[in-house]
Amino acid sequence: MDLMESIRQNFIDEDRWKYLFDGLLTTLLITIFAVLIGLALGFLVAIIRSTYLKTGKLKILNFICKIYLAVIRGTPVVVQLLITYFVIFGSVDISKGLVAILAFGINSGAYVAEIVRGGIMSIDNGQFEAGRSLGLNYRQTMQHIIMPQALKTVLPALANEAIVLLKETSVAGYIAIADLTKGGDIIRSQTFSPFLPLISVALIYLVIVLFLTHLTGKLERRLAANDRR
Amino acid sequence: MKKITLMLLITVLCAVALTACGGSKKENTVHSIDDLNGKKIGVQIGTTGDTLAGDIEGATVEKYNKYADAVQALKQGKIDAVIVDSDTANVFVSKNKDVELLSEGFADEEYAIAMHLDNTKLQEEINKALSDLKADGTLKKIKDYYDGDKSENADAKPYTKDESVSRNKGTLIMATNSEFPPYEYMESGRIVGFDVDMMNAVCDKLGYELKIEDMAFDSIIAAVQSGKADVGVAGMSVTPARQENVRFSDSYTVTHLVVMVRK
Amino acid sequence: MIDVKGLRKSFGDQEILKGINTHIEKGEKIVVIGPSGSGKSTFIRCLNLMEVPTAGTITFDGLDITHLNSKAINYVRQRMGMVFQHFNLFPHLTVKKNITMAPVMLGLMSKEEASRKADELLERVGLPDKANDYPKQLSGGQKQRVAIARSLAMNPEVMLFDEPTSALDPEMVGEVLQLMKQLAEDGMTMVVVTHEMGFAREVASRVLFMADGNILEENTPEQFFANPQNQRLKDFLSKVIS
């Protein structure tokens, strides 16, 4: 079978390209919302953790956060996805997309939390003392002095985490979500030819990741330029 | 150490609490094949059930990687029905009290062994072996064993590998998907089932050493096409689309698709 | 103005301050000297509760500040300026924003008032043209002068200096000491931890010598340097003033 014939069979017959296109939309949608949840959750956990580390307050919350981090970072995302789908929402009627967004968001939150906590702790304690010595309270010091600096140092790492998450969503197919990877699998299961569906799925991921990496690089250079002024 | 133990304990407690708060079950709405229109139907990706469900009007087809996941989703009310091969369905129903099968089924399908399109020699060999096994009653013995209640004669293996045979033809690699009882499934860490016993019998007849490769169902045909496996044996029905990509042996059993619903 | 009684501070099982007693009057300029590890930095950091004392009391304007809630502590800190060895300017803010941030955020001044005050302070520390620069663009001496201006913006009643010139290149020490001398002449109450003996001699109203977590000697600079009593102080001075 020549390539043209194969392309026709894999993408054009029965509008099979739609599996990839719809799958891509699903993948992007899940990724975007999961990133948002991950950021919100991650910042919350990072602030609780660093507050505990700096002041010794929030002991119980910190303990809960530590469990969350240990469990999420100590188990594979596929297992978390399956648990979210079959156990946590086992008897709840909830859209699978939402399940995936929650599962990936909660997963990402743990990694974001550690990145942000690292960023906060990397800011010299003198900055914190300077703020407090002026009479600012803990929250004001955090919000206006520590966080703006920490955020700048962790932005590239956060962008990277989003890229990782995009690739991780490829296991969404385990709960029968037709994401990009599953789209390729569906074509494969109908045409029995692994080459084109898999290669095109890989290429689509690659193009998106390269694009995002390019943006991250640009961002990093801009931040570096800011530092030099 | 104490802290870690406490953390684990709390985690487990949370998990238990989450599982415990199960809600009420959804009422079954599928009572005949016609009722499937517009419903959410679970299938295993790449099976004949997948193809068939795609043709049902207005239905949403949820393509799971495993039948077990589709059945689980059905029990939890996430989907309305599962389309599955009858023999496999019987195994699931016997193990899950809250699902049942519609009495009405789909057309008969024939299971056969898949091999590379060009490999006519292997096809001839296998067809000869199959007809021998049909003639001497071995195939029927295996089939009866897996159809019946295995617990009664658990020790009576339907087929025992003949160790005296010379394996001078080398290895025959069989691609399968161990999620498909009773044809192939994991038991005590080994892949067992109808297809496995049958292929052992076939290999004994032909002088091959059987090697089993477990993979996703929708990868089996690709594995046979690419030469990663010599045969695909996985309760695989003969369909025109598959025949364009692989060569099939004579059929070794006949089943049909059925609809599984909640009780 | 500040009364310190039986002040002790331990980090873990290591006791850094072993019962400090002293009294600081309004308008006094106290210079604290001593070998490194003597606890002088810990002492000055206890005065505005950057470090929480393990035992003892610190009374500020008749108020025991060692047992205040955090809100009241913040209020006390507004009235005490602190200058650090490493400046600790906020690198993400301009010089002017560094100065105006706290008074505006704490509602002590409107933006316009704070801005006017910042201009005035930058004039006073000799850096009127640096308002819109970022800390990275300044030399060490300039940074420390901005840090002093930042503290002064809060209109503090007392200024605490924790080794303000130790991190500076030698040629920049003078400009910072000069500014501190001006402040002293303007009547500011000051507590200065430093190794600059010349500054102590010239500016201090009283010099404290600390070693091993205790104040071993305190006296007027004239007596302190000309007629030291304690043997440790004599050894220390002979090493420092060569």
Side-chain angles (χ1 to χ4, degrees), chain B residues 52-114:
Chain B
L52 188 142
D55 293 336
I56 294 173
E57 209 174 306
T60 318
V61 185
E62 309 249 312
K63 298 164 191 272
Y64 289 88
N65 292 0
K66 306 169 182 180
Y67 269 124
D69 286 346
V71 174
Q72 185 63 31
L74 173 67
K75 283 163 67 178
Q76 294 181 342
K78 293 182 186 336
I79 53 177
D80 302 306
V82 173
I83 296 185
V84 51
D85 303 60
S86 54
D87 292 330
T88 305
N90 283 324
V91 174
F92 279 116
V93 170
S94 71
K95 285 183 181 161
N96 293 279
K97 300 264 169 290
D98 33 10
V99 293
E100 61 185 357
L101 303 178
L102 294 189
S103 52
E104 175 179 23
F106 293 94
D108 279 355
E109 292 184 355
E110 294 184 328
Y111 284 176
I113 299 166

Side-chain angles (χ1 to χ4, degrees), chain A residues 177-209:
Chain A
I177 287 179
D179 73 324
L180 179 55
T181 305
K182 189 83 170 193
D185 284 351
I186 293 170
I187 296 178
R188 211 150 55 86
S189 77
Q190 294 177 354
T191 64
F192 310 109
S193 62
F195 181 74
L196 275 177
L198 285 177
I199 292 294
S200 42
V201 165
L203 274 178
I204 295 172
Y205 278 114
L206 187 64
V207 166
I208 301 173
V209 167

Side-chain angles (χ1 to χ4, degrees), chain A residues 57 124-127 129-138 140-141 144-146 148-149 227-229, chain C residues 45 48 50 74 77-78 80 82 84 88-92 101-102 105-106 134 136-137 150-151 154:
Chain A
K57 287 178 188 164
D124 179 31
N125 202 39
Q127 290 292 312
E129 290 187 342
R132 299 308 302 272
S133 80
L134 289 166
L136 302 182
N137 63 30
Y138 180 83
Q140 290 165 327
T141 310
H144 296 280
I145 295 170
I146 306 297
Q149 297 182 54
D227 270 350
R228 258 180 264 121
R229 86 185 149 197
Chain C
R45 288 162 58 82
N48 69 345
M50 282 285 118
N74 290 334
R77 284 183 184 144
Q78 292 177 25
M80 294 184 175
M82 185 165 220
F84 301 87
N88 298 345
L89 291 181
F90 307 134
H92 61 299
M101 177 185 199
M105 195 175 298
L106 295 168
Y134 281 85
K136 277 227 157 70
Q137 296 161 280
R150 179 176 68 180
S151 285
M154 296 295 294

Side-chain angles (χ1 to χ4, degrees), chain B residues 11-241:
Chain B
T11 315
V12 171
L13 280 177
C14 288
V16 170
L18 279 166
T19 343
C21 59
S24 59
K25 241 179 276 159
K26 263 170 88 181
E27 197 68 26
N28 174 36
T29 53
V30 179
H31 304 286
S32 72
I33 287 177
D34 289 341
D35 286 347
L36 285 172
N37 291 357
K39 294 282 166 28
K40 273 191 187 173
I41 303 171
V43 298
Q44 179 172 331
I45 186 169
T47 58
T48 44
D50 181 0
T51 318
L52 188 142
D55 293 336
I56 294 173
E57 209 174 306
T60 318
V61 185
E62 309 249 312
K63 298 164 191 272
Y64 289 88
N65 292 0
K66 306 169 182 180
Y67 269 124
D69 286 346
V71 174
Q72 185 63 31
L74 173 67
K75 283 163 67 178
Q76 294 181 342
K78 293 182 186 336
I79 53 177
D80 302 306
V82 173
I83 296 185
V84 51
D85 303 60
S86 54
D87 292 330
T88 305
N90 283 324
V91 174
F92 279 116
V93 170
S94 71
K95 285 183 181 161
N96 293 279
K97 300 264 169 290
D98 33 10
V99 293
E100 61 185 357
L101 303 178
L102 294 189
S103 52
E104 175 179 23
F106 293 94
D108 279 355
E109 292 184 355
E110 294 184 328
Y111 284 176
I113 299 166
M115 56 215 105
H116 196 276
L117 271 180
D118 301 337
N119 206 345
T120 46
K121 187 171 152 277
L122 184 63
Q123 185 192 30
E124 272 170 34
E125 282 182 355
I126 288 181
N127 281 346
K128 174 76 174 56
L130 282 178
S131 77
D132 285 354
L133 293 172
K134 278 174 195 162
D136 67 15
T138 311
L139 210 54
K140 182 164 187 327
K141 201 176 147 204
I142 300 173
K143 173 107 177 117
D144 288 347
Y145 172 81
Y146 286 104
D147 279 351
D149 185 358
K150 275 166 284 174
S151 59
E152 278 177 24
N153 47 351
D155 297 330
K157 285 238 169 69
Y159 186 81
T160 318
K161 204 166 144 186
D162 187 350
E163 296 299 342
S164 64
V165 174
S166 102
R167 314 272 173 197
N168 54 3
K169 283 193 179 161
T171 316
L172 188 83
I173 300 173
M174 158 182 167
T176 194
N177 168 241
S178 64
E179 313 271 352
F180 196 62
Y183 288 92
E184 39 270 324
Y185 55 99
M186 299 295 279
E187 199 173 83
S188 319
R190 292 166 51 102
I191 300 174
V192 297
F194 181 105
D195 286 342
V196 177
D197 284 337
M198 176 186 75
M199 284 313 290
N200 269 319
V202 166
C203 284
D204 285 351
K205 282 254 185 261
L206 298 177
Y208 284 107
E209 177 73 47
L210 183 68
K211 184 166 176 249
I212 301 176
E213 292 276 5
D214 194 13
M215 60 185 71
F217 184 77
D218 59 340
S219 297
I220 292 173
I221 286 184
V224 170
Q225 277 181 318
S226 66
K228 280 196 177 357
D230 299 306
V231 288
V233 194
M236 189 178 283
S237 309
V238 179
T239 68

Side-chain angles (χ1 to χ4, degrees), chain C residues 7-238:
Chain C
L7 175 63
R8 288 172 180 274
K9 173 68 184 177
S10 304
F11 292 102
D13 48 8
Q14 202 181 0
E15 192 167 46
I16 304 296
L17 298 180
K18 299 171 180 167
I20 303 281
N21 295 294
T22 192
H23 183 79
I24 300 164
E25 280 299 332
K26 196 171 170 63
E28 262 197 301
K29 291 97 182 78
I30 308 290
V31 172
V32 184
I33 65 170
S36 51
S38 58
K40 52 194 195 306
S41 261
T42 307
F43 166 63
I44 198 172
R45 288 162 58 82
C46 279
L47 292 183
N48 69 345
L49 301 170
M50 282 285 118
E51 305 292 352
V52 180
T54 314
T57 58
I58 299 169
T59 314
F60 178 59
D61 251 5
L63 177 72
D64 176 4
I65 61 172
T66 41
H67 296 101
L68 293 178
N69 63 29
S70 57
K71 219 173 165 178
I73 289 175
N74 290 334
Y75 182 65
V76 169
R77 284 183 184 144
Q78 292 177 25
R79 300 166 61 194
M80 294 184 175
M82 185 165 220
V83 175
F84 301 87
Q85 181 178 355
H86 294 286
F87 334 125
N88 298 345
L89 291 181
F90 307 134
H92 61 299
L93 301 176
T94 61
V95 163
K96 190 162 193 172
K97 269 244 137 183
N98 261 278
I99 298 172
T100 58
M101 177 185 199
V104 172
M105 195 175 298
L106 295 168
L108 303 175
M109 295 177 197
S110 69
K111 265 193 177 143
E112 294 71 30
E113 279 175 307
S115 171
R116 237 177 292 127
K117 175 97 185 171
D119 289 337
E120 195 185 302
L121 284 167
L122 283 173
E123 190 78 43
R124 189 165 163 197
V125 303
L127 298 167
D129 53 335
K130 300 290 187 195
N132 295 315
D133 285 9
Y134 281 85
K136 277 227 157 70
Q137 296 161 280
L138 304 179
S139 72
Q142 292 171 330
K143 280 183 196 168
Q144 196 59 299
R145 280 144 71 195
V146 171
I148 292 171
R150 179 176 68 180
S151 285
L152 290 175
M154 296 295 294
N155 292 321
E157 294 160 45
V158 52
M159 286 284 285
L160 311 175
F161 292 85
D162 186 4
E163 304 204 22
T165 57
S166 301
L168 293 177
D169 290 338
E171 76 269 22
M172 293 171 182
V173 171
E175 59 188 85
V176 172
L177 290 181
Q178 187 56 39
L179 175 58
M180 289 166 64
K181 209 186 289 177
Q182 268 176 36
L183 263 181
E185 282 161 11
D186 293 348
M188 176 64 75
T189 310
M190 293 164 67
V191 181
V192 184
V193 171
T194 188
H195 296 290
E196 298 293 334
M197 297 303 148
F199 180 81
R201 233 187 266 267
E202 209 176 327
V203 179
S205 55
R206 186 154 44 108
V207 185
L208 307 188
F209 175 68
M210 281 185 72
D212 297 334
N214 289 305
I215 297 178
L216 297 185
E217 186 153 342
E218 54 182 308
N219 218 328
T220 59
E222 295 77 19
Q223 288 295 314
F224 188 91
F225 289 107
N227 189 15
Q229 303 295 312
N230 188 288
Q231 189 54 42
R232 292 283 300 271
L233 176 56
K234 286 179 194 169
D235 293 348
F236 180 74
L237 288 178
S238 70

